[in-house]
Each structure stands twice: as structure tokens, then as C-alpha cells.
Amino acid sequence: SAALLRPLLSALSPEYTTAGAGGARAMVWTPWAKPVDPKEQVRKWKADLRAEGRKLDRQIRHIQAEEVKVKKSIKEAAKRGDTSSAKVMAKELVRSRKVVNRLMMSKVQLNSVAMQMQENYAQSKVMGHMQKSANIMRVMNNLVKLPEIAETMQSLSKEMVKAGVIEELVDDVMDNDEEELEEEVEEEVDKVLAEITSDLFEKAGSVPVQQVQHSQAQQQAAQEEEEEEDGEELAAMQARLESLKAT
């Protein structure tokens, strides 16, 4: 009878459940979602990670393009003698460089997660299931903190938790990244200013020397020309004097 089959069916397939009212129970079909194929799941994760990597590439290129403009503005400010503005822009340049470094590191971590996922899937063919990975969990915990890709990383981490690859991520206590960044910025500002304006100062220092040398050459040439003219006049006067004596 159906009553005898229910325990067997429930054990064989959880898609069969019983429901009813007033003690009357009937076997019903629950259209639960089909389990995700690990191969397809890993393929999707890798595609999402690559997409986020391309997003980081675009942001890096945009920041570096802006850096070129800032460098030009710093040089112009230095030429005007506006050291205050140059220093403010140098701080922004240092910050942007640190952001680029952080984005590049995050892209490396994205690639690392993709590679570890592929290795995990290869091992699952032998083990029969995806294994938990402390390395993937550690990297994902870092990536979810990156504002540029936080939303996608949080979504991926939830999928990985369901798949049993990682455990639930725990929010760490916020550290003083901003304060540390400011300290590093202050230390790097003078270096950046020297780096950007070094060629400018070198040119500024060499121009007066060249001008003096050129001026000295002009003065010497003028003096020689004047002496030559005086010699010609003296020779002419002596010739006239000799002519008068002969008469």
C-alpha cells in the first residue's frame, strides 16, 4: 500500500513528501530544484571571477590615465612656485597609486581563487564531493572587503558556502587602514614630488648656466670687434699723420 511505500520513497528521494489535514496524509510531488552540477558550478564561478577581473582592469586603466593628468598639473604648479597645490596633488597621486596596487593584488587573488576552484573540482572527481578549502575562504574573506567587487564576491561566497567549499564568512573588526594610509601618504609625498619635478629642477638649474655662458661669449665677441675697430681707426690716424709729415 501507499503507507508502506512512503518511508521507502522518502528515503530514496526527498522529492516525495506527505501532506494532509485531519490525519489524512497523501503523497505529493515537490518540485525541488535540481542539484547543481559541480562542473557547471565551478565553470560559472570562474566566469564570474574573470568578469570581476576585467572590471578591475578597467578601473586600473582609468586611474592610471588620471595619474598622467595629475603629474602634469603638479609640474605646472611647481613651475609657478605653488608648492602648496603641488603637495595636495602629490597626496592624491600617492593615494591613487596605492589603490592601483590594491586592485592589482585583488586581481591576483581572483585568479588564485579560480585556479584553486579548478583544483578542488579535479579532486572532487576522486573524493565524490567538493572539499572545504581554508585558502579559498581566506582569499574570499579579503575580496568581499574590496568595494569595487564586494557585491559579486558576497554572492559568490554564499554559493560556495552552500556548495560546502567554504564556511560562513565572519566579518572582521574594521582596522585602521585609512589612518595607516594617511601616514604612508605623508611619507611618500616628498618622494613623489622629487620624482615628478626632478627633471624640471634640473632644466631650471641648467638654463641660467647656459645663459651666462652665451652672454659671456657675446661680450667677448663684442669686445674683440670693438678692439678690432679701434685698431683700424688707430692705423688710419697714423697713416694720415705720416702723410702730413711728408708734405
Side-chain angles (χ1 to χ4, degrees):
S1 65
L4 295 175
L5 289 175
R6 286 188 201 119
L8 179 61
L9 290 173
S10 296
L12 292 176
S13 176
E15 295 172 337
Y16 288 95
T17 61
T18 58
R25 301 173 62 84
M27 187 165 56
V28 295
W29 173 262
T30 304
W32 288 355
K34 183 180 178 180
V36 179
D37 180 14
K39 181 178 180 180
E40 292 300 321
Q41 182 72 82
V42 171
R43 181 180 298 173
K44 174 188 176 299
W45 288 340
K46 290 172 64 178
D48 291 342
L49 292 169
R50 285 194 299 269
E52 295 306 299
R54 289 192 293 270
K55 183 188 297 183
L56 294 183
D57 281 335
R58 289 193 295 270
Q59 292 177 345
I60 289 171
R61 288 194 297 269
H62 175 72
I63 294 173
Q64 289 176 335
E66 291 300 316
E67 284 182 4
V68 174
K69 299 177 183 178
V70 174
K71 286 181 181 179
K72 183 178 180 182
S73 298
I74 290 175
K75 287 184 178 182
E76 292 174 352
K79 286 180 181 179
R80 298 193 306 267
D82 188 357
T83 56
S84 177
S85 296
K87 192 169 184 178
V88 170
M89 289 185 286
K91 286 183 179 180
E92 293 304 318
L93 186 60
V94 172
R95 290 192 185 95
S96 68
R97 286 181 176 179
K98 291 188 177 298
V99 169
V100 167
N101 290 338
R102 178 166 54 85
L103 294 178
M104 287 181 173
M105 180 59 68
S106 298
K107 187 182 176 186
V108 171
Q109 292 177 330
L110 287 172
N111 293 335
S112 173
V113 171
M115 291 176 62
Q116 291 183 65
M117 279 296 177
Q118 188 62 40
E119 293 175 2
N120 199 326
Y121 169 67
Q123 293 176 1
S124 72
K125 293 181 179 179
V126 178
M127 303 297 295
H129 59 84
M130 300 282 283
Q131 295 182 330
K132 279 187 170 61
S133 171
N135 290 333
I136 293 177
M137 181 174 177
R138 176 178 52 81
V139 176
M140 289 297 294
N141 209 34
N142 291 332
L143 291 172
V144 295
K145 298 175 185 176
L146 193 65
E148 292 81 358
I149 59 175
E151 184 177 354
T152 301
M153 291 300 102
Q154 289 171 358
S155 176
L156 284 177
S157 66
K158 291 178 181 178
E159 293 178 3
M160 292 177 186
V161 169
K162 291 180 181 179
V165 177
I166 63 174
E167 295 180 354
E168 192 77 27
L169 299 181
V170 179
D171 292 335
D172 295 335
V173 178
M174 295 299 292
D175 48 20
N176 297 324
D177 286 345
E178 190 64 26
E179 183 177 346
E180 293 177 2
L181 177 61
E182 285 300 322
E183 292 177 359
E184 294 177 6
V185 165
E186 290 295 335
E187 293 175 0
E188 294 292 326
V189 166
D190 292 338
K191 294 180 184 178
V192 171
L193 281 174
E195 171 194 333
I196 295 175
T197 59
S198 59
D199 59 335
L200 182 64
F201 292 151
E202 287 174 3
K203 291 177 182 178
S206 62
V207 168
V209 174
Q210 294 174 354
Q211 289 178 343
V212 169
Q213 291 176 345
H214 181 65
S215 178
Q216 289 176 344
Q218 286 182 329
Q219 290 178 359
Q220 185 176 357
Q223 184 176 357
E224 290 175 356
E225 184 178 353
E226 184 177 351
E227 290 176 354
E228 185 178 351
E229 290 178 353
D230 291 344
E232 292 176 354
E233 290 180 359
L234 180 59
M237 290 176 63
Q238 287 178 345
R240 287 197 297 270
L241 181 58
E242 291 296 329
S243 176
L244 290 173
K245 287 180 178 179
T247 57

